[in-house]
């Protein structure tokens, strides 16, 4: 396919100055550093508490998540906050595997927090943090989840610069991105 026929199938809208600054300019990296460190701190502390809790990863692993799920199922039974399809998922997938999900949540929170704190694969870490926030929201738990989900979404959108003051500054230029075929390591530019 030549470029002319491909271009006729694409709609290109120029980026506005605000989103260009926030999502592509390294001048906004300080803003994302603050957001990243805040969200990372929340995930690290939450995950660390769970990892050191007997009810999440210890001798009674899974009991904390069982209690959480049973509370969500009670809300669903009362017709409050938890939809029937999500209640089905919790009852038939999570509850029978509570121990596994307890470990996944505890270590997932810690890993998301560490990724955000050090700025390594920031967009991916923020995506999985947002996925956990949405899961908690679907289960009827509000708490800080809406705010953390908003921050996670912004960090996903700002993935190119959110880790500038972090390990992404070097990791992304070394690893490349899935949509680049090859990379010139000498110049740090991507080649098609």
């Amino acid at each position: 396919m030549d470029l002319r026929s491909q271009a006729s199938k694409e709609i290109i809208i120029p980026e506005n100055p605000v989103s260009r600054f926030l999502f592509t300019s390294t001048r906004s990296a300080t803003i994302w550093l603050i957001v990243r460190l805040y969200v990372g701190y929340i995930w690290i502390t939450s995950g660390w508490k769970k990892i050191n809790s007997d009810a999440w990863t210890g001798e009674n692993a899974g009991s904390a998540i069982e209690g959480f799920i049973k509370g969500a199922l009670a809300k669903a039974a009362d017709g409050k906050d938890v939809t029937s399809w999500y209640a089905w998922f919790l009852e038939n997938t999570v509850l029978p595997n509570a121990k596994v999900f307890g470990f996944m949540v505890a270590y997932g929170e810690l890993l998301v927090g560490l990724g955000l704190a050090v700025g390594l694969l920031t967009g991916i870490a923020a995506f999985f943090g947002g996925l956990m926030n949405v899961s908690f929201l679907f289960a009827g738990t509000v708490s800080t989840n809406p705010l953390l989900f908003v921050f996670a979404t912004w960090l996903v959108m700002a993935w190119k610069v959110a880790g500038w003051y972090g390990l992404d500054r070097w990791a992304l230029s070394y690893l490349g991105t899935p949509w680049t075929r090859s990379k010139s390591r000498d110049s740090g530019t991507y080649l098609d």
Side-chain angles (χ1 to χ4, degrees):
M1 182 184 324
D2 69 351
L3 289 177
R4 229 176 289 157
S5 65
Q6 183 179 355
S8 67
K9 295 178 183 180
E10 296 177 357
I11 298 173
I12 300 172
I13 300 172
E15 198 167 8
N16 70 64
V18 174
S19 63
R20 174 181 243 155
F21 168 75
L22 286 173
F23 304 126
T24 61
S25 173
T26 57
R27 292 177 292 147
S28 68
T30 305
I31 295 167
W32 299 119
L33 174 66
I34 294 166
V35 172
R36 233 184 56 223
L37 291 175
Y38 170 73
V39 176
Y41 173 78
I42 299 295
W43 282 120
I44 288 171
T45 55
S46 180
W48 189 250
K49 285 177 191 172
K50 286 177 178 73
I51 287 169
N52 290 301
S53 169
D54 186 52
W56 283 92
T57 60
E59 190 173 308
N60 297 316
S63 62
I65 207 160
E66 281 180 15
F68 177 77
I69 299 305
K70 288 177 182 174
L73 293 173
K75 289 178 186 178
D78 292 341
K80 298 178 184 175
D81 302 328
V82 180
T83 61
S84 60
W85 68 268
Y86 199 70
W88 182 92
F89 168 74
L90 293 174
E91 186 173 23
N92 295 294
T93 304
V94 179
L95 197 55
N97 301 295
K99 187 173 186 174
V100 172
F101 275 90
F103 277 88
M104 286 173 51
V105 169
Y107 284 98
E109 287 182 358
L110 182 68
L111 290 172
V112 164
L114 290 173
L116 292 173
V118 300
L120 180 62
L121 303 175
T122 303
I124 295 169
F127 170 80
F128 283 107
L131 183 65
M132 285 191 288
N133 290 128
V134 166
S135 298
F136 301 149
L137 285 167
F138 278 145
T141 303
V142 179
S143 183
T144 60
N145 289 304
L147 178 64
L148 292 176
F149 178 73
V150 168
F151 284 153
T153 304
W154 291 349
L155 287 167
V156 169
M157 292 188 325
W159 72 271
K160 293 182 271 186
V161 294
W164 183 254
Y165 294 123
L167 297 178
D168 277 349
R169 187 173 187 169
W170 297 277
L172 292 181
S173 65
Y174 179 77
L175 296 173
T177 53
W179 52 89
T180 56
R181 284 187 225 139
S182 63
K183 181 176 84 82
S184 168
R185 291 179 194 242
D186 298 332
S187 66
T189 58
Y190 295 96
L191 306 171
D192 285 323

